[in-house]
Amino acid sequence: MIDRLDLFVIGGGSGGVACARRAASYGAKVALAEDSRLGGTCVIRGCVPKKLMHYGAGVPHELDVARDMGWSFGEVRHDFRFFLEARNREIARLEDIYQGLLDRSGVRVVKARARVAGRDGEDFVVEAGQERFRTRRVMIATGGTPYVPDLPGIEHVVTSDHVLEDVYDRPGRVAVIGAGYIGVELGCVFHGFGAKTTLILRGDAPLRGFDEDLRHQLNQQIAESGVEIMPRSVVTSIERTADGLVLHGLERSVTADLVLYATGRRPQPRTSGIGLEALGIEMDYEGAILVDETYTSNVPGLLAVGDCSDHAGHGLDSGQHDLTPVAIAEGRAVAERFFNNRIQRVRYDTIATAIFSSPEAAACGMTEVRARAEGHDVLIFKANFRPMRTTMGQHAHRTFMKLVVDKHTDKVLGCHLVGPDTPEIIQMVAAAMTAGATKADFDDTVAVHPTAAEELVTMYQPVQD
Ligand code: FAD
């Protein structure tokens, strides 16, 4: 047993690393355990490899736009394995950077699975690999894992973990089951790389929880780009045949070389079997640790942030919570409160989120449905146009913009965008909304011309009900 720690962090992903580094910067004695690769989901098998694949898959569209502008090329070829290997080299570089950041912060890193072994008076005892630690506080930041339903043939399918971390041959036909943002993004990625792609979803349109207009605009544009979308469909079994994997239970059977399940992520099983049950930690049915506004569980000193945690009252529409910057903000808020005596609240109401699909989409704040459900009398402003960059040819995505405004206070409650560069645009809309911007503030802002974003400050006429 080594000397008593101030904090032991279980999980070296976005939330855990942010918390450990910030706490150590205030002189706390901190150790962190990671049983896979430092960086966690975001760096190793989430945001970063996904965005690199989004860039790679977008190149054929760029070439189409270039042709519309008079460029011509010889035969265009792509080496998929070369691309995945280059992607993985970049991820390995980032992983090393994480190790260096923790080392320089003075955080002791243990590359092992950790569990809370029990109590020693007021302290917790944590086991990681062969080592035992005594610590005043434990932070659980174990993230989530893909959830896959149990049905015949499920052993043939893959999840985002495989698609984003491994190296494999380019599939000719891909079926994606599930149309949350991960399913939509990866479906568009494979389509961009030339696979015949089918997106299979239970509901009417992708991205449940997002604004209805955003969902339907994106649905239409993705379908027009050539992705086959099968709404109101449930796969009941998967069969391996000589021709590929056959999905049964659908209106017509679908055969694919790669079947990707993107049917949600859960904190379990990572929050199971690590000593939390014995301590009587309260969790929800998916294994999320229930915490209060200080990210403390029902057991004082045992904290949780990021994807493995849940706390009531953050007022989010679904799809806006399990995100890297949220985990980081929560991790830092914990370090500030307990090691710097400073209360730093996370603003959940203006968290912006992006969908790196083709075309891209982004949102911040309330959907129209939610705003009305919460009793706001709303004005809706919309714009729908062809972005200038693609007006000279055949290969245009359309851009859609929507503002949800409170009629009485004039406050901008929500912003929902579809189109190129909208993830870049939404960040500054979120800053304005965090500052409490009204529609009049948007109107008083002189436009940058010619841009797509200028539409947001020149939408004068609300849509009539
Ligand atoms: P994680 O980053 O998952 O880290 C948890 C870590 O804990 C893991 O490294 C795990 O190995 C480790 N661990 C678990 N149990 C133990 C144990 N007992 N002992 C030791 N170590 C343990 N978010 C965005 O903001 N933007 C995006 O574009 C985006 N894209 C995504 C794309 C995909 C495909 C996925 C899956 C996620 C994406 N996310 C995105 C979500 C984002 O990755 C997560 O919200 C974020 O990583 C959560 O951070 P975390 O610290 O809670 O957990």
Side-chain angles (χ1 to χ4, degrees):
M1 183 105 67
I2 70 159
D3 292 347
R4 185 192 199 211
L5 296 170
D6 297 307
L7 176 69
F8 194 102
V9 178
I10 304 185
S14 308
V17 170
C19 180
R21 288 182 60 210
R22 183 64 64 92
S25 78
Y26 294 126
K29 206 164 174 192
V30 185
L32 175 147
E34 169 56 56
D35 67 351
S36 173
R37 297 172 64 186
L38 281 174
T41 303
C42 178
V43 177
I44 307 297
R45 55 193 81 88
C47 332
V48 179
K50 180 271 304 280
K51 186 84 187 277
L52 293 172
M53 292 188 81
H54 171 67
Y55 283 134
V59 171
H61 177 71
E62 297 303 314
L63 295 179
D64 284 340
V65 174
R67 287 189 192 93
D68 288 341
M69 294 185 180
W71 294 91
S72 58
F73 314 96
E75 189 191 358
V76 176
R77 301 171 64 153
H78 182 246
D79 185 333
F80 191 65
R81 278 187 161 257
F82 172 93
F83 172 73
L84 295 186
E85 282 162 7
R87 176 200 69 182
N88 287 3
R89 278 194 299 278
E90 172 58 9
I91 302 306
R93 188 183 72 84
L94 295 176
E95 191 184 350
D96 285 347
I97 288 177
Y98 267 75
Q99 179 76 58
L101 289 172
L102 286 164
D103 290 346
R104 283 193 293 281
S105 313
V107 174
R108 165 92 186 279
V109 176
V110 187
K111 295 300 284 294
R113 183 167 196 269
R115 58 182 287 276
V116 186
R119 307 289 303 240
D120 180 355
E122 291 289 287
D123 292 345
F124 296 91
V125 176
V126 176
E127 282 176 4
Q130 303 303 313
E131 298 187 72
R132 275 168 85 83
F133 299 84
R134 232 178 80 214
T135 180
R136 282 173 63 208
R137 292 192 174 85
V138 179
M139 155 69 75
I140 309 291
T142 48
T145 47
Y147 165 76
V148 176
D150 188 16
L151 48 92
I154 201 70
E155 65 277 10
H156 302 308
V157 314
V158 298
T159 66
S160 58
D161 286 358
H162 165 76
V163 162
L164 296 174
E165 204 176 349
D166 297 341
V167 173
Y168 49 96
D169 290 326
R170 182 204 316 259
R173 299 162 298 177
V174 175
V176 180
I177 324 297
Y181 80 94
I182 294 174
V184 169
E185 291 178 336
L186 294 178
C188 290
V189 159
F190 283 113
H191 175 67
F193 280 120
K196 180 179 180 315
T197 304
T198 309
L199 189 58
I200 298 165
L201 54 142
R202 264 177 202 275
D204 291 332
L207 298 174
R208 191 164 56 86
F210 282 82
D211 188 82
E212 292 301 311
D213 281 319
L214 180 151
R215 296 176 72 196
H216 290 286
Q217 288 287 336
L218 198 61
N219 190 33
Q220 189 183 338
Q221 293 205 47
I222 291 175
E224 280 170 11
S225 75
V227 174
E228 183 189 16
I229 300 183
M230 294 181 75
R232 296 175 292 282
S233 304
V234 177
V235 175
T236 52
S237 66
I238 300 135
E239 183 190 3
R240 183 180 283 291
T241 69
D243 185 34
L245 297 170
V246 182
L247 304 182
H248 296 293
L250 306 170
E251 217 165 64
R252 62 166 192 79
S253 65
V254 168
T255 307
D257 306 307
L258 184 123
V259 176
L260 167 65
Y261 262 74
T263 40
R265 293 175 59 80
R266 295 198 175 165
Q268 260 164 2
R270 286 184 177 170
T271 49
S272 306
I274 55 168
L276 305 185
E277 295 88 347
L279 289 175
I281 302 292
E282 285 175 13
M283 297 185 231
D284 72 7
Y285 72 102
E286 293 184 344
I289 299 163
L290 303 180
V291 292
D292 63 15
E293 69 284 358
T294 71
Y295 306 98
T296 302
S297 71
N298 60 313
V299 172
L302 198 135
L303 312 153
V305 297
D307 289 7
C308 71
S309 69
D310 203 4
H311 65 90
H314 52 46
L316 293 170
D317 282 321
S318 80
Q320 296 188 321
H321 187 203
D322 288 348
L323 295 167
T324 285
V326 178
I328 292 173
E330 292 177 348
R332 287 184 181 154
V334 165
E336 290 294 337
R337 178 181 287 269
F338 293 108
F339 300 102
N340 189 33
N341 207 16
R342 180 168 161 254
I343 295 172
Q344 185 176 303
R345 294 206 187 282
V346 179
R347 274 286 297 264
Y348 289 97
D349 57 334
T350 54
I351 293 169
T353 184
I355 303 116
F356 295 100
S357 45
S358 180
E360 297 171 329
C364 183
M366 287 188 210
T367 64
E368 179 180 347
V369 167
R370 180 166 187 141
R372 290 189 193 280
E374 289 198 0
H376 293 277
D377 202 358
V378 294
L379 291 174
I380 302 297
F381 296 83
K382 292 183 190 177
N384 192 332
F385 56 96
R386 284 177 80 189
M388 190 181 197
R389 191 164 163 274
T390 50
T391 46
M392 291 185 295
Q394 304 301 313
H395 299 96
H397 286 313
R398 290 194 73 81
T399 290
F400 170 79
M401 296 184 166
K402 173 175 178 177
L403 290 179
V404 181
V405 177
D406 184 289
K407 200 173 188 171
H408 302 293
T409 63
D410 198 39
K411 233 178 131 173
V412 177
L413 301 173
C415 178
H416 309 280
L417 310 174
V418 178
D421 303 326
T422 50
E424 301 292 339
I425 296 170
I426 202 73
Q427 183 65 84
M428 295 322 292
V429 175
M433 286 173 62
T434 301
T438 59
K439 179 67 170 61
D441 293 324
F442 276 52
D443 296 343
D444 287 348
T445 305
V446 176
V448 181
H449 182 73
T451 63
E454 70 179 304
E455 288 292 327
L456 286 170
V457 294
T458 54
M459 290 199 279
Y460 296 122
Q461 286 298 327
V463 176
Q464 300 301 322
D465 277 335

